[in-house]
Amino acid sequence: MSRERIVIVGAGFAGYEAARTLCRKARGAADIVLLNPTDYFLYLPLLPQVAAGILEARRVTVSLTGTLPRVRLVLGEADHVDLEARKVEYTGPEGERGELPYDRLVLAVGSVNKLLPIPGVAEHAHGFRGLPEALYLRDHITRQIELAATTADPAEAAARSTFVVVGAGYTGTEVAAQGKLFTDALMSKQRKWSRAAKPRWMLLDVAPRVLPELDRRLSDTAGRVLRERGVDVRTKTSVKEATTAGVTLDTGEFVETRTLVWCVGVRPDPLVSGVGLAVERGRLVVDPQLNVPGHPEVFACGDAAAVPDLTRPGQYTPMTAQHASRQGKVAGRNVAASLGYGEPEAYSHHDLGFVVDLGGVKAAANPLGVPLSGPLAGAVTRGYHLAAMPGNRVRVAADWLLDAVLPRQGVQLGLVRAWTVPLESSSPELAKVPGGPSGSS
């Protein structure tokens, strides 16, 4: 008797946990196929530390084949889902076309950078959703400080050492907090830096406070740390236009800068809207069992799915890693249940709290609703990340230890250029190259 084939599209938090759960539950009775553009799972919460030179890039990646031995990995980007023929069409890393027939389908394609119709942003800003973008930003920041230190033009030096981050959510706050420490460390190594002023970081958001989606106490802690560090936090403020010379704020002020980091949020992967099923703000509508109504063979989870929040009737679960990883586990169990292994269950999860690493020994955290700040919050935050990572814990801890006792390496490798990480990319996990399949490597 032939085995049922389960195709999982996407290996982010949701897809990775769905595959790992199915490995245990299906007990070898199903052919599990994972379609993903890269051969690794990316632990996104630590990405700002890659950009700030704390962690090496491979530390935040976990090998799919190394940790999912009973899953068949297929490298490629899903282009189309044919619900009638029950197959997923994809493009491989070298431009080859392929298709994967399925008996069960799990859509966990995640999200991409959220774009707004602001002139110049798509051309001059860079997002922060994938490893190429983090590596680019690390090189770019280093280069700007080096150029600012050697130029004889004070105006050019000021522009190059000014860094603007738009979006004071989880990602933007950490990028600004970690980035300020990084540029200060780079500046201290520049003997030709004759200016008294330190590098300038600006954090903008239209919301009235940083971390507007989190508890007010976390927001206050993060805002205080940022301002004490010298970050220029501007709430109720955004960008009106971006150019090569700088950005114009909606207040009318023009800020000369060579760096615009776009962290205003995410939107579901465009593949979801093209499936032809009901969506809610670009997310595939599912029931509490993560099943697509009318298609018992299709499941969706993570940022790709509009999952009813049973703890808050009438609302959908937010697009966070905490929900995505847990939804992936439930999706895996429910797919296994549809094959006769176990019983289906509804997804329900109360937030256990959030952690925000602000660099150094500073952090903001509220595990189980208990607000923490300072070194204790820093220890809890790093402990949480080590516990949540499915691999590389020793290597990450070793990098943290080395960063505590050794100066950071202020070098630029130049491997990722600006044009290879466009903001409008539907696949931020891949650097773009000319002539590649769909412009990707």
Side-chain angles (χ1 to χ4, degrees), residues 375-390:
L376 178 58
V380 169
T381 297
R382 294 200 167 183
Y384 170 81
H385 287 314
L386 288 180
M389 286 194 72

Side-chain angles (χ1 to χ4, degrees), residues 107-437:
L107 286 173
V109 288
S111 53
V112 298
N113 292 310
K114 182 179 180 180
L115 301 178
L116 296 177
I118 299 176
V121 165
E123 294 79 13
H124 303 291
H126 292 281
F128 203 79
R129 291 292 300 165
L131 203 52
E133 292 170 319
L135 291 173
Y136 162 74
L137 185 60
R138 182 162 155 179
D139 272 2
H140 175 78
I141 290 173
T142 305
R143 182 168 60 255
Q144 296 309 307
I145 293 297
E146 291 172 348
L147 293 175
T150 56
T151 181
D153 183 354
E156 180 186 350
R160 291 192 182 279
S161 58
T162 297
F163 305 88
V164 178
V165 180
V166 183
Y170 185 96
T171 301
T173 297
E174 286 202 343
V175 168
Q178 301 276 7
K180 184 63 168 65
L181 291 181
F182 184 40
T183 53
D184 286 352
L186 292 174
M187 180 203 69
S188 67
K189 298 176 183 179
Q190 296 294 336
R191 297 180 180 177
K192 294 185 177 180
W193 192 280
S194 58
R195 301 162 193 86
K198 290 184 177 181
R200 179 190 185 193
W201 281 78
M202 296 184 68
L203 179 61
L204 315 176
D205 202 296
V206 295
R209 58 188 175 93
V210 300
L211 300 173
E213 70 276 17
L214 300 187
D215 181 87
R216 182 62 186 249
R217 289 169 293 188
L218 287 182
S219 173
D220 291 344
T221 298
R224 183 179 67 256
V225 171
L226 288 169
R227 290 183 173 92
E228 288 174 352
R229 194 166 288 169
V231 177
D232 185 0
V233 179
R234 305 277 188 97
T235 56
K236 299 181 181 180
T237 306
S238 190
V239 171
K240 182 179 179 181
E241 183 181 9
T243 67
T244 55
V247 295
T248 302
L249 308 185
D250 55 10
T251 60
E253 179 184 353
F254 182 75
V255 178
E256 291 190 58
T257 180
R258 302 291 189 273
T259 309
L260 179 59
V261 187
W262 195 253
C263 301
V264 297
V266 296
R267 58 190 172 97
D269 191 294
L271 175 74
V272 175
S273 297
V275 173
L277 297 173
V279 295
E280 172 66 29
R281 294 186 178 181
R283 304 165 74 187
L284 200 60
V285 174
V286 298
D287 60 25
Q289 287 74 36
L290 308 181
N291 208 195
V292 175
H295 290 271
E297 77 284 358
V298 181
F299 298 78
C301 51
D303 291 354
V307 180
D309 193 338
L310 300 184
T311 68
R312 301 181 302 165
Q315 299 186 49
Y316 296 101
T317 58
M319 297 166 69
T320 65
Q322 189 175 138
H323 280 291
S325 61
R326 287 167 173 79
Q327 288 171 12
K329 294 176 183 178
V330 172
R333 289 194 285 268
N334 287 349
V335 171
S338 73
L339 300 176
Y341 298 92
E343 297 294 327
E345 61 183 84
Y347 176 76
S348 179
H349 172 66
H350 290 274
D351 287 333
L352 301 177
F354 292 89
V355 294
V356 184
D357 194 326
L358 300 173
V361 297
K362 299 295 182 67
N366 63 344
L368 302 177
V370 179
L372 301 175
S373 61
L376 178 58
V380 169
T381 297
R382 294 200 167 183
Y384 170 81
H385 287 314
L386 288 180
M389 286 194 72
N392 281 0
R393 297 186 182 94
V394 174
R395 290 186 172 93
V396 168
D399 272 7
W400 283 340
L401 177 60
L402 291 173
D403 182 66
V405 299
L406 296 175
R408 296 183 197 177
Q409 291 180 288
V411 296
Q412 49 170 319
L413 301 179
L415 300 178
V416 182
R417 310 302 295 178
W419 55 269
T420 68
V421 284
L423 181 63
E424 73 276 9
S425 173
S426 61
S427 299
E429 63 272 15
L430 295 175
K432 306 304 170 186
V433 295

